Structure formats: structure tokens, C-alpha cells
């Protein structure tokens, strides 16, 4: 498997010891986890090559990369990733299209889809394995000679990098109109990668009187659950303020691929009772408040649309931002 390439600047900002080394998995079926000793995401075959980003005690944070059929990936905006494995029972990861299998990505596994080639997609993900499951470093990690002279390699969503030696031109969409030019050295945050393009976020200040609206976190009004189900792509990422009726606090089963396994969520009735149910994923910082809720209570909540139509039940899945 060819390792993913990370910018040195992104590596330097990570805590703990960074090795940047290519190592091989020496234990068949080694579990690849979301966090150290955390949620199980994939199984790696013996001999699979990974890039070690850092170590923390008996655990190693690593990058894995490989190819899966494009049809096996569903679109996603969760946790900064742009895809998830939708194949029931999981999908084999291969070191090249139709090549040898290097592991098994479990159903619901979130991925960064970085390249499409005919009916195949190259995916990448960062996670954790036991350090003892990895062999000795194979080589120091550096770009192959074929990378010399190419643009800087891509980094994972959420990483902060800086504009390069030339001014950075931002477009409204790939091949779209120019909207701003960013000066050299300006920090930008990677949000998404897609077919040779990287979506970035730039933060700065402007005089309020020069803005059409001074509210950076606009909330879309008048959107029903029925509208979300009918046009899920149009509302992905939109913020809504809704009054919902709380029914129960649940934990996601493995088959709910729009969640990670065990993720807490509110089962609630949509603002218009005729719109049916909605699922509201609860982040860790709001879990204690959610656990104190009583059934049938009406909640005033701020949410962000994860998907307007879930894969399993076809209902909206929202991310809870605040309870008022």
C-alpha cells in the first residue's frame, strides 16, 4: 500500500513523538481504531504498510490508504470526511484497483476520498493500532522521487496549513469563479478534498458596515423535515433552529451507517407532527444535558444537518449544537 503524504508543517503541530515512518502490520487481522483503544473501524492484514504519525504509550496513530470500488462509498459530511463505506458487512481495502487485499473497512467507516479512477476510488484515513502490532521501521518517510516538483501533498481535513510561495487563489467551486486571493503565509484549514481540489477555510476580520450580514453562523428558516428528506443534498451542512418533541435517548446500532457505532442520539418528533421522526446526534459535551431530558418534553435546539435522508430509515439526521 502506498502511504499517504503529509505536509511537514502539519506534522510539526501534532503532540507526542512523531516518527513519520513506514511500518508493516505483523499481526493478521489487527484492529484499526478511531482512537487509542477506541471504536473498531477496520481490520488490517499482516504485511499492510502504514505511516506512523505519532506514538502515545502502547498505541500508534497511523495513516492507511488504499482502493475500494467507488460504488461502495456513500457521500458524507461527518467529522470532516467526505465518504463512508456503505457495503453491508464491510468492504475490502486493496493496494491498487483490483489488487491484493490489505484489510477490511467496516460498514459505516468514514473515509477521505482523495482520487477517482474509472470505477475505483483511493481512500485514506487516520486511526490507531497497537504499537506492538507493527514491525520495525521500513524506511524514513519521504516523498518518492516521482513527487519531486509536484504541488505540496494533501493533508487530512481539519489540518491547518499555510498558503505556499505563490498567492493562493480561492474559487467558488472547482473550475468556478475566483472569489478571493490569499496572501503567502496565511493560515488556512483543510475542510474537504475532491479529485485534485482542496476546499479550505480562511478566518479573518472585516468591518461590519462592509458586510451584507454580520452573522457568520446564519440559520436557515422555514425548513421542514419533509423538505430535508426530499432534497438532502441541498441542505447538507445547513443550520436550523427547531422545536422538537423529545422521545428518548438512544445509541446507534452498527447498521445505522449515518452514525458511528454507539453514537448517542435523540429520537424526536419533527416540528410539524406530520413530518414524522428525526434523529439528533449528541456530542460528548452535551451528553450530560441530554441524559437529564424527560420524554415528551419540547426542546428548542440549534442543529446542523448531517443528512436530510438517512440510509437506513430515510429520516433526517442532525448534529446537536445547542439546547436553549
Amino acid at each position: 500500500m502506498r502511504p499517504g503524504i503529509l505536509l511537514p508543517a502539519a506534522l510539526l503541530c501534532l503532540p507526542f513523538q512523531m516518527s513519520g515512518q513506514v511500518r508493516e502490520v505483523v499481526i493478521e487481522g489487527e484492529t484499526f481504531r478511531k482512537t487509542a483503544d477506541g471504536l473498531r473501524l477496520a481490520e488490517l492484514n499482516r504485511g499492510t504498510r502504514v505511516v506512523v504519525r505519532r506514538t502515545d504509550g502502547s498505541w500508534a496513530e497511523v495513516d492507511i490508504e488504499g482502493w475500494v470500488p467507488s460504488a461502495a462509498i456513500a457521500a458524507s459530511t461527518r467529522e470532516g470526511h467526505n465518504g463512508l463505506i456503505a457495503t453491508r458487512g464491510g468492504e475490502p481495502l486493496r493496494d491498487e484497483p483490483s489488487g491484493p487485499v490489505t484489510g477490511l473497512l467496516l460498514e459505516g467507516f468514514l473515509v477521505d476520498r482523495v482520487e477517482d479512477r474509472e470505477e475505483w476510488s483511493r481512500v485514506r484515513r487516520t486511526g490507531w493500532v497497537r504499537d506492538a502490532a507493527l514491525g520495525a521501521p521500513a524506511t524514513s518517510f519521504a516523498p518518492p522521487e516521482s513527487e519531486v516538483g509536484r504541488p505540496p501533498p494533501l493533508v487530512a481535513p481539519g489540518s491547518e496549513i499555510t498558503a505556499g510561495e505563490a498567492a493562493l487563489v480561492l474559487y467558488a467551486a472547482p473550475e468556478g469563479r475566483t472569489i478571493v486571493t490569499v496572501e503567502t503565509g496565511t493560515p488556512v484549514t483543510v475542510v474537504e478534498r475532491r479529485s485534485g481540489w482542496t476546499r479550505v477555510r480562511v478566518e479573518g476580520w472585516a468591518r461590519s458596515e462592509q458586510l451584507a450580514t454580520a452573522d457568520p453562523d446564519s440559520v436557515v428558516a422555514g425548513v421542514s423535515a419533509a423538505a430535508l428528506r426530499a432534497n438532502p443534498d441541498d441542505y447538507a451542512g445547513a443550520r436550523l433552529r427547531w422545536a422538537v418533541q423529545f422521545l428518548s435517548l438512544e445509541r446507534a446500532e452498527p447498521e445505522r451507517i449515518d452514525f458511528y457505532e454507539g453514537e448517542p442520539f435523540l429520537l424526536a418528533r419533527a416540528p410539524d407532527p406530520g413530518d414524522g421522526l428525526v434523529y439528533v446526534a449528541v456530542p460528548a459535551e452535551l451528553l450530560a444535558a441530554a441524559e437529564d431530558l424527560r420524554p415528551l418534553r419540547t426542546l428548542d435546539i440549534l442543529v446542523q444537518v448531517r443528512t436530510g435522508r438517512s440510509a437506513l430509515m430515510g429520516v433526517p439526521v442532525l448534529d446537536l449544537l445547542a439546547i436553549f
Side-chain angles (χ1 to χ4, degrees), residues 186-319:
T186 302
V188 300
T189 301
V190 175
V191 177
E192 179 185 359
R193 300 170 303 184
R194 184 190 306 167
S195 301
W197 290 83
T198 299
R199 184 160 63 94
V200 299
R201 180 182 297 119
V202 182
E203 294 189 0
W205 291 82
R207 294 187 179 278
S208 298
E209 63 268 20
Q210 294 181 302
L211 302 177
T213 173
D215 183 5
D217 296 322
S218 58
V219 177
V220 181
V223 178
S224 66
L228 296 182
R229 291 194 302 271
N231 304 282
D233 294 337
D234 293 345
Y235 292 104
R239 290 187 173 207
L240 313 172
R241 186 163 178 175
W242 270 3
V244 300
Q245 186 179 45
F246 169 71
L247 299 178
S248 61
L249 179 63
E250 306 288 342
R251 293 276 180 172
E253 304 93 338
E255 57 267 23
R256 295 187 186 274
I257 62 175
D258 296 295
F259 299 85
Y260 66 78
E261 184 176 352
E263 184 175 14
F265 68 93
L266 306 180
L267 178 63
R269 289 195 179 99
D272 182 345
D275 283 349
L277 300 176
V278 295
Y279 300 148
V280 184
V282 181
E285 61 269 21
L286 294 178
L287 183 56
E291 291 174 337
D292 289 338
L293 296 175
R294 292 189 299 176
L296 303 183
R297 174 182 169 183
T298 298
L299 303 178
D300 181 10
I301 57 175
L302 179 66
V303 296
Q304 187 168 29
V305 179
R306 178 179 294 186
T307 177
R309 188 171 60 237
S310 66
L312 183 63
M313 300 297 293
V315 302
V317 178
L318 315 169
D319 286 299

Side-chain angles (χ1 to χ4, degrees), residues 122-137:
R122 182 162 61 94
V123 298
R124 185 180 300 152
R125 180 65 193 266
T126 300
W128 293 79
V129 298
R130 295 173 299 163
D131 189 59
L134 302 177

